[in-house]
Amino acid sequence: MLETGVDIDIQIPGKKAQNISLLSGGEKSLSAIALIFAIILYRPTPYLILDEVDAALDDANILLFNRLIKDISTSSQIVMITHNKADHGSGQPSFGVTMQHHGISTIVP
């Protein structure tokens, strides 16, 4: 009983319902993001910290992700850590952190 898991079946538009373990990395990531955003839209939080949640998304889904971020940012403050250049402009204000010398971080507006 201690080693039982949870089976999640999901139906992506245009596809048949299947177990989440059969989805690609981007589809798994987008499904998880959709679930988290649905919960946040139902019950907004004062702040949201996202760390590399967009790493597995393709360009078309990055645009959808950015639109959802803008919608959620009206009711929550968002801290998003990303390496994706398409996401850099989605937040206001936007800051970068670079390390020119070992152990010394510099904030770049």
Side-chain angles (χ1 to χ4, degrees):
M1 194 64 154
L2 293 176
E3 296 185 21
T4 59
V6 175
D7 284 334
I8 299 173
D9 289 335
I10 189 166
Q11 183 174 1
I12 295 177
K15 293 190 174 187
K16 62 181 178 122
Q18 58 187 345
N19 193 292
I20 197 163
S21 64
L22 300 174
L23 300 177
S24 70
E27 290 171 332
K28 286 180 189 176
S29 180
L30 194 58
S31 300
I33 291 168
L35 177 63
I36 291 169
F37 283 179
I39 293 168
I40 290 170
L41 288 172
Y42 177 73
R43 184 169 287 204
T45 60
Y47 60 90
L48 179 63
I49 300 173
L50 303 172
D51 185 9
E52 294 290 335
V53 296
D54 59 338
L57 299 179
D58 60 0
D59 292 337
N61 289 323
I62 289 290
L63 296 175
L64 175 62
F65 175 76
N66 285 339
R67 269 192 280 143
L68 290 171
I69 289 291
K70 286 183 181 180
D71 290 345
I72 291 174
S73 69
T74 60
S75 61
S76 300
Q77 294 182 11
I78 299 174
V79 174
M80 185 166 64
I81 300 163
T82 184
H83 289 101
N84 191 327
K85 291 185 180 187
D87 288 336
H88 288 184
S90 66
Q92 294 297 328
S94 183
F95 296 100
V97 178
T98 183
M99 188 182 300
Q100 295 176 351
H101 303 290
H102 182 70
I104 302 173
S105 297
T106 306
I107 296 178
V108 181

